[in-house]
Amino acid sequence: MSRSRAPLVAGAAVAVAAAVTLTVVVWPDDSGPGTQNSGSASARTSASPSPTRSYPLSTAPRTIPAVREHTAARGPGWKPSKDSAVVAADPALTDEAKLLAKELKIGYRGEKSPRSGDVELALASSGKGDPESYTLRTEGNQVTISGPGQAGVFYGTRTLKQSLNADDTVPEGVVQDTPDRPQRGLNLDIARKHYSAEWIEDRLHEMADLKLNQLGLHFSDDQAFRIESDSHPEVVSEEHLTKAEVRRILKLAQSLHITVVGEIDSPGHLGAVLRAHPDLQLRNTQGVARQGAIDISKEESAKIVDDLLKEYAELFPGDWFHVGADEYQALTVSSPRASYPQLAAAAVEKYGDGATVQDLAEGWLNDRAAVIRKAEKIPKAWNDGFFTGGTVTADKGIEVEYWTGKEIGARPPQDYLAEGRDVINLNDEYLYYVLGEPNDFTYPTGKRIYEQWTPFVLRGTEPVPERYSKQILGGRFAVWGDFPNAQTQAQVAEGIRMPLNAVSQKLWDPREPKLTWAQFQQLADETG
């Protein structure tokens, strides 16, 4: 990757710029450079300039999430003019530059030196640091956005865009910004409620402006299987996304620096797959089927799930894939061994005397995670798929997506953290938007997230100790379609707008926000 041709101003210059008073001299109509009447010395001295104009120290750009650091300076700031353009100091930033130019309705001049009124995008010469960090420098009627990676530079363009939306100007000075957590996003259940590709693309644009970088797609559940399949077309529901639509979504997401994480939940939540393969349905000794549960004692069960995992791990280009593992109903009965002797026998056969149905389920998780690792991705799984006290334990490399402590077998988040596991926060107390509000769920409010939640609040309302900070990789706000007709797509979009804004703020900077909730709401309207 070629480096920026434009030298970046050294950090020492920032302090100097902050202390300099920018003076604008306003000449009378009949004097100043270019005046024809140069006349006598007395004539020249009598035409004195108007009083010096000094700018007050600037304030930080008003954005969501708020910038973490701003060095104030004196000056008029920057706003686009008819002669303004965006230039890229590195060809790797061409797409970001073209997008910004389109959004600001100004020109794009390619890999050119910046002129007065321009915005320049550049990769930092060292290439070191958080690739999502950036520096935005506004001085001399120019803006320079630089960072170690393309994602950071892109986030700098979001700050510029929001600042113009809110105040029509990018303030003079220097912004230095970086996210607190590497994973920040939205989780969307498209299995129980179908969303159009266009609706999902709208959410991607919204997420990008909020500097959110991960979209989880839960596309298989008891109700439906929502993405076209080549390996098992028989499992796909009538209303679904085609692979062409998914590739369009993925292309847009990639351009906005968002990773889309697919999820096929197993061994529970497989009702749609089992309708096409009823012979794989888990049944107890009386022949009663267990909803959504596949019989993990059968080799064909693993084969069909692995076929699907391989197919969609190839479709989704990101670094992760989600294998589910929650709410396997065989483990919720009083005696899994008595109710499902075939599972108990398979556990002993595979893991030896003393192995239980729980061990068989944990081994299933590890086997599915191995398929994802072979596809060179990081596996994710829900926290209630990780068990303790058995013969088999979940592999340490599986990221724990912590959503609840209410399910059977669910443990407090400290247990996972103490084991050295990485955890992502999807706390159902704050971050679960469940359509129809079943099971005591209520639609979460942005206000409650903004005022009470942080990435440390993994379960209920109590935070875990800060010593686990490095293991908490981030969080996602989750939309679930338990009662899909409870809200329209438009109502869902409006319902999650402010919660997403609040989640964005707290994942970028978990410290207590400076704005009140009312001020934050108003800012969301202004920046949007």
Side-chain angles (χ1 to χ4, degrees):
M1 181 181 293
S2 61
R3 297 298 181 191
S4 170
R5 294 184 292 102
L8 300 178
V9 180
V14 175
V16 175
V20 171
T21 298
L22 179 60
T23 303
V24 176
V25 177
V26 182
W27 295 91
D29 291 342
D30 60 350
S31 61
T35 302
Q36 296 298 313
N37 180 20
S38 56
S40 64
S42 60
R44 289 195 300 272
T45 56
S46 64
S48 60
S50 62
T52 300
R53 177 183 174 189
S54 295
Y55 293 97
L57 277 173
S58 61
T59 56
R62 298 196 305 131
T63 63
I64 296 176
V67 301
R68 293 174 69 100
E69 184 178 338
H70 176 254
T71 302
R74 299 184 189 275
W78 180 88
K79 63 175 64 179
S81 68
K82 62 181 178 64
D83 297 322
S84 294
V86 181
V87 299
D90 192 296
L93 297 171
T94 297
D95 290 343
E96 289 78 9
K98 287 182 176 179
L99 174 62
L100 182 62
K102 180 180 178 181
E103 291 172 328
L104 301 186
K105 296 181 173 61
I106 60 177
Y108 166 68
R109 291 197 293 108
E111 296 173 60
K112 306 289 185 181
S113 296
R115 302 182 303 206
S116 178
D118 284 355
V119 177
E120 182 186 35
L121 307 186
L123 291 174
S125 56
S126 68
K128 297 179 180 179
D130 187 338
E132 292 190 307
S133 66
Y134 68 92
T135 299
L136 186 152
R137 186 184 310 277
T138 306
E139 62 181 357
N141 196 33
Q142 286 183 0
V143 176
T144 301
I145 302 172
S146 61
Q150 292 167 251
V153 175
F154 175 72
Y155 293 144
T157 68
R158 301 305 87 191
T159 293
L160 182 146
K161 176 185 173 183
Q162 284 197 24
S163 183
L164 290 175
N165 285 348
D167 298 308
D168 199 36
T169 302
V170 182
E172 203 84 5
V174 180
V175 169
Q176 290 181 305
D177 209 7
T178 190
D180 186 73
R181 305 287 147 170
Q183 295 186 39
R184 311 175 304 279
L186 170 67
N187 208 72
L188 186 63
D189 173 11
I190 65 171
R192 283 175 276 197
K193 182 177 179 66
H194 175 68
Y195 294 89
S196 69
E198 292 76 15
W199 189 92
I200 296 172
E201 288 169 332
D202 287 344
R203 302 290 73 71
L204 288 171
H205 284 292
E206 183 179 357
M207 291 171 62
D209 283 351
L210 293 172
K211 302 184 177 77
L212 299 173
N213 65 1
Q214 197 175 81
L215 173 66
L217 287 184
H218 176 92
F219 62 90
S220 169
D221 212 303
D222 295 343
Q223 291 78 1
F225 192 103
R226 297 287 191 186
I227 296 179
E228 176 185 1
S229 173
D230 299 318
S231 66
H232 289 280
E234 74 280 1
V235 307
V236 180
S237 301
E238 182 177 352
E239 197 171 30
H240 64 271
L241 296 173
T242 66
K243 284 194 172 179
E245 288 176 314
V246 173
R247 291 188 181 100
R248 195 181 81 200
I249 290 167
L250 293 169
K251 183 178 180 180
L252 174 62
Q254 189 171 24
S255 74
L256 299 174
H257 298 277
I258 295 171
T259 300
V260 182
V261 181
E263 179 193 351
I264 297 177
D265 201 350
S266 79
H269 294 279
L270 281 173
V273 171
L274 292 170
R275 276 196 293 277
H277 295 272
D279 55 311
L280 301 180
Q281 177 84 52
L282 178 65
R283 297 178 183 276
N284 66 14
T285 52
Q286 284 75 46
V288 177
R290 197 69 184 189
Q291 181 183 359
I294 200 167
D295 189 334
I296 58 177
S297 69
K298 296 182 176 181
E299 290 184 10
E300 186 61 26
S301 295
K303 182 181 183 306
I304 190 171
V305 171
D306 288 351
D307 285 347
L308 294 168
L309 288 175
K310 292 171 186 175
E311 177 179 1
Y312 293 103
E314 183 178 348
L315 177 64
F316 289 85
D319 291 338
W320 299 271
F321 200 91
H322 203 305
V323 297
D326 67 316
E327 298 183 313
Y328 187 47
Q329 296 300 313
L331 299 174
T332 65
V333 299
S334 58
S335 175
R337 180 184 184 89
S339 295
Y340 304 104
Q342 75 274 32
L343 299 184
V348 171
E349 181 180 352
K350 187 169 185 177
Y351 298 111
D353 292 342
T356 66
V357 176
Q358 174 186 297
D359 294 315
L360 191 67
E362 200 77 300
W364 174 277
L365 168 60
N366 288 339
D367 291 346
R368 307 299 71 78
V371 173
I372 295 308
R373 283 203 191 90
K374 192 171 182 180
E376 300 182 339
K377 296 182 186 297
I378 300 168
K380 291 175 172 287
W382 298 113
N383 68 285
D384 49 327
F386 294 75
F387 303 106
T388 187
T391 300
V392 182
T393 58
D395 292 343
K396 285 290 181 67
I398 306 171
E399 291 184 356
V400 180
E401 303 245 300
Y402 198 95
W403 71 280
T404 187
K406 301 169 186 173
E407 296 291 312
I408 294 175
R411 295 177 287 144
Q414 290 93 324
D415 283 13
Y416 304 85
L417 295 165
E419 292 171 1
R421 299 184 185 276
D422 289 334
V423 176
I424 294 85
N425 192 325
L426 288 96
N427 184 345
D428 63 350
E429 178 74 23
Y430 291 94
L431 306 180
Y432 261 38
Y433 192 96
V434 185
L435 298 188
E437 301 182 305
N439 303 321
D440 297 324
F441 281 108
T442 58
Y443 293 127
T445 66
K447 184 177 190 292
R448 189 162 181 251
I449 296 168
Y450 185 77
E451 295 179 342
Q452 299 178 20
W453 180 82
T454 76
F456 292 98
V457 183
L458 283 156
R459 173 181 178 175
T461 60
E462 294 299 317
V464 298
E466 291 193 12
R467 66 178 179 272
Y468 294 122
S469 181
K470 289 184 178 180
Q471 293 170 243
I472 303 171
L473 303 182
R476 293 197 306 283
F477 185 81
V479 180
W480 297 101
D482 291 42
F483 290 91
N485 296 324
Q487 290 191 341
T488 65
Q489 291 186 82
Q491 287 172 326
V492 173
E494 179 56 29
I496 69 176
R497 188 179 75 88
M498 285 311 301
L500 272 183
N501 275 264
V503 166
S504 163
Q505 174 61 46
K506 301 304 280 287
L507 288 172
W508 192 267
D509 187 349
R511 296 174 297 182
E512 184 175 348
K514 294 179 180 179
L515 299 181
T516 66
W517 172 247
Q519 291 170 330
F520 186 80
Q521 275 187 303
Q522 182 177 345
L523 180 59
D525 292 338
E526 294 171 349
T527 57

